[in-house]
Amino acid sequence: MLHKNLHRFPFLLIISIVSFNAFAQQQTAISLNDFNVLKDQPLQEKIFAHTDKDFYLAGEILWFKLYDVSADSLKPLNLSKIAYVEILNTQQKPVLQATIALNNGSGNGSLYLPSSVTSGNYIFRAYTNWMKNFNADKYFQKTITIVNTLTPITKTAEEDSDNYEINFFPEGGNLVANLESKLGFKVIDKYGNGVNCKGKIVDENNQPITSFSSLKFGMGSFYFMPENNHTYNAIININNKTITKQLPAVNSKGYVMHVSNADGKQVTVSVQSNTNQQ
């Protein structure tokens, strides 16, 4: 009986070897296919972040939690063990940075906002080392606002350019030919703050008529008698910049009203007209 079994053993061994080789080849083919799928569709990692709020004061602590997930399924990933967090200013330069440990697809941390940070809008950005293989627009980003009550809001050179609003206000509402009017003015920047200035009034031939300067908060007034059939411009100097602003049109006929404080208790209202002038 033992002899017969020994005769059958080589046959069983051959079958086993053939079966093992077939199984091994099948497993190898599947592995290559999976590799090609991963090669053609690389894993897309995505970071989500939740901050405790969107508005902060300098000196506060910004608390946050990170979630590392697959971009396709949004299921937690255990691929990266570290995430990077940055606070970027308007020039896209980091003012604060931190390294956060990830455990089973999540992590949390905090950033102290120092008193040296300036007021303005900032970008809270988070990403992993694996995400550096792709475009930076895949990083998580959100806008936060930081206000420093000890420092003013910074302005760039571009913001401090010729973005001024200049208005002239004839006291009676209109400029009327050959009648003296009190002309008020106000100059403000793009933030609504008054800006000191000085300037002169010229006619269409660039001949000087009168000059003026602001008194406080970019405001002031001057007296001016326009002539019929003439146009006038104000040449204004603001922070060593020259700006030209056209004055309101001159009416050929009309009324001019002037209000003055007579004695501190009463006001005097005077009205002039050129309607009877030929």
Side-chain angles (χ1 to χ4, degrees):
M1 179 67 67
L2 179 60
H3 180 72
K4 291 181 179 181
N5 290 336
L6 290 176
H7 276 290
R8 287 189 298 174
F9 178 77
F11 177 72
L12 294 174
L13 180 61
I14 293 172
I15 293 176
S16 299
I17 293 174
V18 172
S19 299
F20 178 79
N21 288 337
F23 179 77
Q25 291 173 3
Q26 183 181 9
Q27 288 295 96
T28 303
I30 293 174
S31 298
L32 289 174
N33 183 62
D34 289 343
F35 174 78
N36 290 328
V37 170
L38 290 175
K39 177 175 66 67
D40 296 335
Q41 298 179 351
L43 176 65
Q44 294 288 330
E45 190 179 21
K46 195 171 185 65
I47 287 282
F48 289 99
H50 175 73
T51 59
D52 57 334
K53 51 186 179 179
D54 299 328
F55 181 90
Y56 299 89
L57 295 177
E60 290 186 326
I61 296 178
L62 185 158
W63 299 91
F64 58 86
K65 187 174 180 64
L66 305 179
Y67 303 92
D68 185 19
V69 300
S70 167
D72 296 328
S73 65
L74 298 183
K75 293 182 179 180
L77 284 178
N78 198 25
L79 175 66
S80 297
K81 301 302 180 182
I82 293 176
Y84 303 93
V85 171
E86 299 174 333
I87 303 294
L88 307 178
N89 60 18
T90 54
Q91 286 77 43
Q92 296 295 306
K93 295 181 179 179
V95 296
L96 293 172
Q97 294 177 304
T99 303
I100 306 300
L102 296 176
N103 184 21
N104 294 323
S106 67
N108 55 74
S110 63
L111 289 169
Y112 172 73
L113 305 177
S115 59
S116 59
V117 67
T118 57
S119 299
N121 291 326
Y122 292 81
I123 297 297
F124 178 97
R125 185 166 77 171
Y127 57 93
T128 65
N129 200 47
W130 172 261
M131 294 172 67
K132 292 180 181 179
N133 296 310
F134 308 96
N135 293 332
D137 57 4
K138 302 295 184 183
Y139 298 175
F140 174 85
Q141 292 190 146
K142 69 173 292 187
T143 301
I144 63 170
T145 301
I146 303 175
V147 173
N148 191 329
T149 57
L150 300 178
T151 60
I153 297 177
T154 57
K155 305 173 186 178
T156 63
E158 181 180 356
E159 291 173 333
D160 282 334
S161 61
D162 298 342
N163 296 317
Y164 299 104
E165 181 179 339
I166 305 169
N167 291 295
F168 290 92
F169 310 98
E171 186 176 22
N174 296 288
L175 292 177
V176 181
N178 303 318
L179 295 179
E180 187 178 60
S181 295
K182 185 178 182 180
L183 194 61
F185 65 89
K186 184 176 183 180
V187 179
I188 60 175
D189 61 18
K190 64 182 296 184
Y191 303 98
N193 301 315
V195 179
N196 290 327
C197 66
K198 60 182 179 179
K200 61 182 179 179
I201 304 299
V202 299
D203 63 14
E204 69 276 10
N205 297 315
N206 209 34
Q207 295 298 313
I209 306 300
T210 188
S211 60
F212 62 90
S213 61
S214 59
L215 299 176
K216 194 174 184 180
F217 305 124
M219 296 185 292
S221 63
F222 58 92
Y223 286 93
F224 169 56
M225 182 181 291
E227 296 181 6
N228 200 19
N229 298 321
H230 284 268
T231 58
Y232 299 92
N233 290 318
I235 310 298
I236 307 167
N237 185 276
I238 306 174
N239 295 328
N240 295 322
K241 298 178 183 297
T242 301
I243 301 174
T244 301
K245 174 74 173 181
Q246 187 174 15
L247 294 189
V250 179
N251 294 340
S252 59
K253 301 292 182 181
Y255 296 85
V256 170
M257 182 178 65
H258 176 63
V259 179
S260 62
N261 192 341
D263 56 7
K265 296 181 181 180
Q266 296 179 331
V267 294
T268 300
V269 179
S270 61
V271 178
Q272 301 179 72
S273 173
N274 68 354
T275 54
N276 295 326
Q277 298 179 10
Q278 298 298 323

